[in-house]
Amino acid sequence: MVVVRDDDVVIGMAWLAVVQRVPTPRAPRRASGDLQCVYVVPEARDGGLGGRLIRAVLDGDRELGLERVTVHSSPRAIPAYARCGFQESPRLLQARVAGA
């Protein structure tokens, strides 16, 4: 988790879930990330803070050696993720399950 504070008050945060993946002969240790939450308090939005949080998480992901990072975004935030390098993937599928 990455947080941004204004004095002692948290005004933004980003949360990443890391998932271990099945090993392969060439890559015995594999992992992916899912950026599950990037939140900036309303009064601090539209100043680039969300992008800074996303980039901070991605920088940490590179250090972890993650193969990829996914995100499920609100329409409003898609441009911010795109500016940070996220792209649509024709191979990423999802299934809705009961209660979801």
Side-chain angles (χ1 to χ4, degrees):
M1 177 168 56
V2 177
V3 298
V4 175
R5 299 173 191 235
D6 183 8
D7 293 324
D8 290 335
V9 178
V10 174
I11 60 169
M13 63 158 226
W15 183 269
L16 177 77
V18 176
V19 179
Q20 299 302 313
R21 302 197 60 216
V22 177
T24 67
R26 291 185 181 162
R29 293 182 173 259
R30 299 173 63 211
S32 293
D34 185 54
L35 186 49
Q36 295 185 339
C37 179
V38 175
Y39 179 78
V40 176
V41 296
E43 56 272 15
R45 291 180 185 163
D46 299 321
L49 189 56
R52 287 180 28 215
L53 285 163
I54 295 166
R55 285 188 293 280
V57 169
L58 291 177
D59 288 345
D61 295 343
R62 287 183 191 93
E63 291 176 17
L64 292 172
L66 300 183
E67 292 180 10
R68 73 179 59 88
V69 177
T70 58
V71 67
H72 183 256
S73 178
S74 69
R76 181 183 190 278
I78 289 173
Y81 290 109
R83 284 190 298 272
C84 292
F86 283 85
Q87 302 173 1
E88 290 187 34
S89 170
R91 297 186 305 155
L92 182 61
L93 307 173
Q94 67 178 359
R96 297 207 179 264
V97 294

